[in-house]
Amino acid sequence: MAAAPPDNPFAIGTLVTGDEFADRGDELRLLEDELPSGGRIFLLAYRRYGKSCLILETFRRLERNAGAIAVYVDLYKASSEREFWELMINQLVAGSREPVKRVVDWLKSLGGTLRPTFSVDQQSGMPTVTLGPVATSAELGRLRERALALPGEIAARRRHPVILAFDEFQEIHEFNGGRLEKQMRAAFQQHRQVGYVFAGSKPHLLRRMSEDPNAAFYRFGRRLELGPIPADAWFEYLKPRFGKGRIEVSGDALRRIVELAEGVPYYVMRVCRLLWPRGLRRRTIDVNEVDAAFGEIVDEAGEIFAPTWEELTLAQRRTAAALAEGRGDEIFAEAVRTAYELGAPSSVARSLERLRDLGLVGHEGPTTTGARYRIVDPGFVAWVRRQRPRDPTVSDARATTSAQGETSKPPRTRRRKRS
């Protein structure tokens, strides 16, 4: 009887830690050094760059090495301020193994209509606190005050560091953001042995929260921005995993994987997951197979990208096309604006702002006009390029800019599967 083929070692759609976690050594060291002693970190990363996995891997290490009580709060799960506090309390109870009765008694002392009850979650087996509706703003204020004090109380009572990570922290704006942020900072700066991570997938909003002198969290912690993982780190990670299936992957194929995926963890793992069964059959993987796998991913992503594309104005589409063609460091240049019919610099700025708010575009640089802009999703880059033959407004833009003999850096070219 033939042996079963080895399991696919490239996981997608799930949070990975331990041996499955790729690179990020410098970031892990910073987090491990800062958080147990009460450090505060603003963690900025675009979607699919591995932010949540980094948080959970940090938790795993700090729980093992420092006895930390690690608590993860995802603000996308809360649709109101009351739900946010309920979520935070439940995560603190679960992470600290606090006696539920103590927490319920503590909440009942608030009085009013909260009427906390607790049950056992059927999936996790953990106790869950449920709060009743908040009748008045005064009741919500009392709940807020007590919930904000809870991390410090647990750290003092348990004599272990508490690490509290707020994921998608920019969503706090939806809950009376400015006033709430001031109260949160006032409480958190009193805590000892409590480390905080304020993470989010909209870096421009987190930068504003932490760098605007008028913002409540101005200079409240260090900023850590996640970029793509370097190619060399990916080579070290990928080659032994393909080796588990005795699959030979050429150096050119490995480089092509990282090039097409632009080092973004989600796309690297997605391409490799598709290549794994093909490699088991053929025992080798070459560049053509990498191109084909990435092309399949872009095909599937079209169902997601197309509705977003339809919502964009023509100016915004043209701006996206220019960025996809590698013109991000000169997007405000007259030659580029003319070739892509982008209009005045103010129109370009508005288009970029819209694309940024949608989470499609990021930038590096100190000023609007001096920054380098780029599409942060490599799948969207490839998909936008496919639209060029069907979009006469941008179809000849690259040829036009080349003919004008610009002296600026030329766009990076990419081989791709023809559609």
Side-chain angles (χ1 to χ4, degrees):
M1 184 175 179
D7 291 338
N8 194 318
F10 302 106
I12 59 169
T14 186
L15 297 174
V16 297
T17 59
D19 292 339
E20 294 183 329
F21 185 80
D23 194 49
R24 303 296 191 198
D26 291 341
E27 293 88 345
L28 282 167
R29 279 188 289 274
L30 186 150
L31 292 168
E32 288 184 83
D33 289 344
E34 290 282 336
L35 294 175
S37 57
R40 306 148 187 158
I41 305 292
F42 286 85
L43 178 60
L44 287 60
Y46 298 106
R47 293 185 65 241
R48 299 176 171 175
Y49 278 51
K51 161 179 56 67
S52 299
C53 291
L54 174 62
I55 293 172
L56 294 186
E57 174 62 11
T58 301
F59 280 6
R60 186 185 73 84
R61 296 183 180 206
L62 289 177
E63 287 172 336
R64 180 189 64 192
N65 299 330
I69 298 168
V71 179
Y72 177 84
V73 179
D74 183 356
L75 270 74
Y76 274 160
K77 294 182 178 181
S79 59
S80 68
E81 185 183 345
R82 183 197 63 78
E83 288 186 10
F84 167 62
W85 298 124
E86 183 178 276
L87 177 63
M88 177 176 156
I89 290 167
N90 274 303
Q91 295 301 95
L92 282 164
V93 169
S96 64
R97 305 287 198 239
E98 280 285 286
V100 177
K101 185 177 184 304
R102 176 186 290 163
V103 177
V104 171
D105 290 343
W106 172 80
L107 287 168
K108 284 181 177 178
S109 69
L110 298 177
T113 62
L114 288 173
R115 296 189 181 88
T117 60
F118 73 93
S119 58
V120 176
D121 185 275
Q122 296 300 314
Q123 291 184 335
S124 66
M126 298 302 298
T128 301
V129 175
T130 303
L131 302 178
V134 176
T136 66
S137 58
E139 277 189 11
L140 182 60
R142 289 195 296 272
L143 172 62
R144 181 188 309 128
E145 181 180 352
R146 297 299 297 273
L148 286 173
L150 189 55
E153 293 175 3
I154 291 174
R157 183 161 54 245
R158 300 291 296 276
R159 297 184 180 180
H160 283 281
V162 171
I163 313 299
L164 187 53
F166 296 105
D167 206 353
E168 304 303 346
F169 186 63
Q170 72 277 348
E171 297 302 307
I172 204 72
H173 280 301
E174 301 299 321
F175 311 141
N176 188 20
R179 182 180 178 185
L180 178 55
E181 288 171 44
K182 291 178 182 178
Q183 291 178 296
M184 293 178 81
R185 174 170 182 151
F188 293 163
Q189 66 187 5
Q190 301 296 323
H191 295 168
R192 298 292 179 267
Q193 275 197 301
V194 183
Y196 287 97
V197 178
F198 307 101
S201 58
K202 295 183 178 179
H204 66 290
L205 295 180
L206 279 184
R207 288 192 197 100
R208 191 180 305 159
M209 294 174 73
S210 61
E211 296 176 3
D212 184 343
N214 297 315
F217 283 100
Y218 176 61
R219 293 187 177 179
F220 189 62
R222 296 182 63 171
R223 194 179 76 202
L224 176 61
E225 298 198 28
L226 292 189
I229 293 177
D232 289 346
W234 275 125
F235 299 158
E236 293 180 9
Y237 179 87
L238 297 176
K239 196 155 189 177
R241 280 162 177 75
F242 280 114
K244 292 178 180 179
R246 298 182 180 179
I247 301 170
E248 284 292 329
V249 186
S250 69
D252 286 344
L254 286 174
R255 282 187 287 273
R256 187 64 170 157
I257 292 169
V258 179
E259 177 191 0
L260 290 173
E262 297 184 5
V264 175
Y266 170 83
Y267 279 99
V268 171
M269 300 297 280
R270 184 84 187 276
V271 171
C272 291
R273 187 167 182 84
L274 287 179
L275 291 173
W276 174 261
R278 304 173 193 188
L280 288 179
R281 289 192 296 268
R282 297 188 54 184
R283 295 301 174 190
T284 62
I285 291 173
D286 59 23
V287 171
N288 291 331
E289 288 169 321
V290 175
D291 286 346
F294 187 73
E296 289 178 24
I297 294 170
V298 176
D299 289 341
E300 293 175 10
E303 296 181 3
I304 300 173
F305 296 143
T308 301
W309 187 255
E310 291 297 324
E311 292 179 2
L312 300 179
T313 65
L314 284 177
Q316 292 161 3
R317 292 186 195 180
R318 292 169 180 148
T319 302
L323 297 178
E325 296 286 354
R327 317 303 286 194
D329 56 352
E330 51 189 354
I331 194 70
F332 288 96
E334 183 177 359
V336 175
R337 289 189 288 108
T338 300
Y340 288 87
E341 301 179 72
L342 302 182
S346 59
S347 176
V348 177
R350 287 193 296 271
S351 293
L352 290 169
E353 183 177 5
R354 171 62 174 159
L355 294 170
R356 184 189 63 182
D357 289 342
L358 290 172
L360 300 174
V361 167
H363 75 277
E364 297 93 23
T367 64
T368 300
T369 56
R372 177 186 180 274
Y373 290 84
R374 66 185 181 90
I375 295 175
V376 299
D377 187 316
F380 190 60
V381 171
W383 188 85
V384 169
R385 288 178 176 176
R386 289 184 178 185
Q387 310 316 302
R388 291 178 60 246
R390 296 190 289 275
D391 189 344
T393 65
V394 299
S395 60
D396 297 322
R398 187 178 223 177
T400 303
T401 54
S402 298
Q404 291 173 338
E406 295 174 273
T407 58
S408 57
K409 181 180 177 181
R412 181 174 56 184
T413 59
R414 293 176 184 273
R415 292 171 291 173
R416 61 180 176 84
K417 181 183 176 184
R418 298 185 180 273
S419 54

